[in-house]
Amino acid sequence: MDFDEYRRHDATGLARLVAEKQVSAAELLQVARERAAEVNPRINAIVRDVPCTADEERTGPFAGVPFLIKDLGQDYAGLPTSNGSRSLQAVPAVEHSTVVQRWLDAGLAIFGKTNLPEFGAKAISEPDAWGPARNPWDLTRTPGGSSGGSAAAVAAGIVPAAGANDGGGSTRIPAACCGLVGLKPGRGLTPLGPGAGEMMHGAAVQGVVTRSVRDSAALLDVMAGGEPWGPYQPGMPSAPYSSVLGQDPGRLRIGVRVPSAITPDPHPEAYAAVAGAVRALTDLGHEVEELAEAPFDDAALAREFLLAWFVYIAWEVRDAKQRSGAPDTAFERDTRIMAALGNATTGVDYLDAVERRHQHARRLSTYFESYDLLLTPTLATPPPKVGEFELPAALRVAADALLRTGTARLLTRTPIVDDMVQKNLGWVPYTQLANVTGRPAISLPLHQTADGLPLGVQLVAPLGGEALLLQLAAQLEESVPWADRVAPL
């Protein structure tokens, strides 16, 4: 099999070829590795090899399909999980993560781990540990984050799907940047053990980035379900997710919102992306209505999300130090700034931010009493340039001085906080809602900018709405097909 033929198939299609003995698993792995050798030096998507032999016996629905996992939250026994940090590059995992074991049991041939920002803390993937990942659609642009390496690898054709996870948009943002499908399942549906029961109070979930809706559905079937040591026994669908594709979801009522309190004037391409989705949905017979205001307090949600995020990063840094013995200098400046902000937050303020999530969930559930889904852009701008979010020189100098002297708590009195809020969320203000409220959401590659860059649209569903999202996504995939859009790398 040559690369052009390999690239024409999604994971489901490749698995069928292997099952029918039209191609061997060894051939697929060879093509994937050759493609990685060709393009990875330019996109820096894969940062660690995983032992994988072509003659290994594999069974399951994806037997023999090449696959990559993210180097965060997806442990592979015996190999380090760096979390994008220099501090953890030499600390091996003692066992497979549950989700990794499920992928292996499904027959996927895992041969590498992918790039991400340190601790997954940004919507771009530019860690000091591995260097920046780049977008195959334009090497000067970011593939997004935090699952940026996975998205870049799929968009570049190395693999048809790859592991991702999502604590604030980390599956959907890279999918939107790279022209892929990115489904964030609802809270607790996919496992985070055995190393953790839940992450970020349940805001983070495991997932994948794919090129097709059917792959997203079939891989969710592989991942979904609780584990004995987990905090939840999730409600499972009455039938596999892959079985609902092609079923008519009925006439849906969908609310649309583009402006955000963080970004009141999104890029015209964000409006164009939503306008195209509205036309497609209307043509399919759905009722689409523009909302006069957001169905939640997006400004408050953003502040509370980041406050909790900073505290979580402070814990991540402390945990990494305890596990590795790493000094402060093993962590990036921005990470140390976020950790300092987290350490400066009182326990009462942190708990207040976490408890307020219930208010956002309640307002959103009230919205879903009248609407079936919420439609937004996934990004407020086209994918930014690599290096665009580097702190200004004056703030770098000030931050370094405060970090060096142990007075980093004073950062709360500088413009650095507002600067980080705007740069972290200003171009991605839409995705945190689904994490904070625990609702499922999906990004679909329905739009390309005038410059040929992907810019996805997001659909958010009520609890248990994964099947509905996949049904509608399959409808849209058929009416506005994207399979023939190939990154020019």
Side-chain angles (χ1 to χ4, degrees):
M1 173 178 280
D2 62 19
F3 171 72
D4 287 339
E5 184 181 0
Y6 173 83
R7 174 62 179 78
R8 284 196 294 271
H9 296 280
D10 62 3
T12 301
L14 291 176
R16 182 176 296 121
L17 293 178
V18 173
E20 295 173 352
K21 301 189 183 309
Q22 296 185 46
V23 67
S24 69
E27 288 178 88
L28 296 185
L29 187 59
Q30 180 180 350
V31 174
R33 282 176 164 159
E34 288 175 351
R35 180 62 173 173
E38 177 187 359
V39 301
N40 197 58
R42 286 179 278 167
I43 62 175
N44 196 28
I46 304 171
V47 296
R48 190 183 299 278
D49 291 332
V50 173
C52 184
T53 58
D55 58 357
E56 186 177 342
E57 186 68 26
R58 294 185 177 86
T59 59
F62 288 100
V65 176
F67 195 72
L68 299 166
I69 58 177
K70 184 177 177 179
D71 205 22
L72 179 150
Q74 296 174 1
D75 293 345
Y76 195 97
L79 298 179
T81 300
S82 76
N83 293 350
S85 177
R86 291 169 295 179
S87 66
L88 294 173
Q89 285 184 316
V91 182
V94 298
E95 57 188 333
H96 292 330
S97 293
T98 302
V99 72
V100 170
Q101 188 61 59
R102 289 181 182 178
W103 286 328
L104 291 169
D105 292 343
L108 290 163
I110 299 173
F111 68 97
K113 303 190 80 174
T114 59
N115 205 349
L116 70 148
E118 189 167 46
F119 299 118
K122 297 179 181 177
I124 55 174
S125 298
E126 302 175 19
D128 289 351
W130 303 116
R134 295 180 180 274
N135 194 323
W137 291 89
D138 179 345
L139 295 177
T140 70
R141 306 273 180 165
T142 183
S146 65
S147 307
S150 290
V154 175
I158 298 173
V159 287
N165 37 48
D166 194 318
S170 292
T171 297
R172 290 159 289 153
I173 293 166
C177 288
C178 294
L180 306 174
V181 179
L183 172 67
K184 185 205 84 72
R187 180 169 299 161
L189 184 59
T190 54
L192 285 159
E198 62 178 4
M199 295 175 64
M200 299 174 61
H201 294 285
V205 295
Q206 301 282 18
V208 291
V209 285
T210 72
R211 293 202 308 264
S212 71
V213 175
R214 71 175 184 174
D215 277 358
S216 292
L219 285 164
L220 183 58
D221 284 328
V222 168
M223 292 183 288
E227 49 195 338
W229 44 80
Y232 309 108
Q233 182 60 49
M236 299 294 289
S238 58
Y241 290 106
S242 54
S243 70
V244 306
L245 304 186
Q247 295 180 9
D248 186 353
R251 188 169 189 263
L252 302 176
R253 190 172 187 221
I254 302 169
V256 179
R257 181 69 181 171
V258 179
S260 160
I262 308 170
T263 312
D265 188 22
H267 194 281
E269 291 285 5
Y271 280 97
V274 168
V278 170
R279 286 193 297 272
L281 290 165
T282 303
D283 289 345
L284 288 167
H286 301 297
E287 179 184 353
V288 186
E289 178 182 330
E290 185 174 355
L291 302 174
E293 60 181 28
F296 62 99
D297 187 341
D298 47 355
L301 183 141
R303 290 192 302 271
E304 290 151 13
F305 173 82
L306 282 178
L307 185 148
W309 186 262
F310 293 155
V311 174
Y312 188 75
I313 293 300
W315 177 85
E316 286 271 22
V317 169
R318 187 181 70 175
D319 180 66
K321 287 181 177 180
Q322 292 173 344
R323 292 167 56 197
S324 67
D328 286 344
T329 53
F331 303 93
E332 297 175 18
R333 176 195 293 112
D334 285 2
T335 298
R336 294 170 66 193
I337 291 171
M338 286 186 274
L341 295 171
N343 284 319
T345 302
T346 69
V348 173
D349 287 341
Y350 172 66
L351 185 58
D352 184 62
V354 173
E355 287 297 316
R356 287 181 184 276
R357 295 180 177 192
H358 302 301
Q359 297 179 13
H360 300 299
R362 186 170 183 179
R363 289 188 62 175
L364 187 59
S365 65
T366 300
Y367 165 82
F368 283 131
E369 291 174 2
S370 302
Y371 296 89
D372 297 295
L373 298 169
L374 172 66
L375 171 66
T376 73
T378 313
L379 315 174
T381 73
K385 297 276 190 178
V386 171
E388 186 172 325
F389 296 133
E390 180 71 28
L391 281 175
L395 285 177
R396 292 200 301 270
V397 171
D400 286 344
L402 292 172
L403 292 167
R404 187 171 56 251
T405 59
T407 55
R409 291 172 183 264
L410 296 176
L411 288 167
T412 58
R413 304 177 187 176
T414 73
I416 201 166
V417 177
D418 291 337
D419 185 76
M420 291 186 73
V421 168
Q422 190 58 40
K423 287 187 173 179
N424 271 280
L425 299 185
W427 70 288
V428 286
Y430 308 105
T431 54
Q432 298 79 40
L433 170 67
N435 300 90
V436 167
T437 62
R439 271 58 184 169
I442 195 169
S443 180
L444 298 174
L446 297 178
H447 182 69
Q448 284 188 304
T449 70
D451 295 330
L453 295 172
L455 199 164
V457 299
Q458 176 185 235
L459 289 155
V460 182
L463 286 176
E466 289 85 358
L468 177 61
L469 287 174
L470 289 165
Q471 285 177 323
L472 182 59
Q475 269 195 336
L476 288 165
E477 184 180 35
E478 185 175 353
S479 64
V480 190
W482 55 73
D484 60 344
R485 298 178 190 167
V486 178
L489 182 67

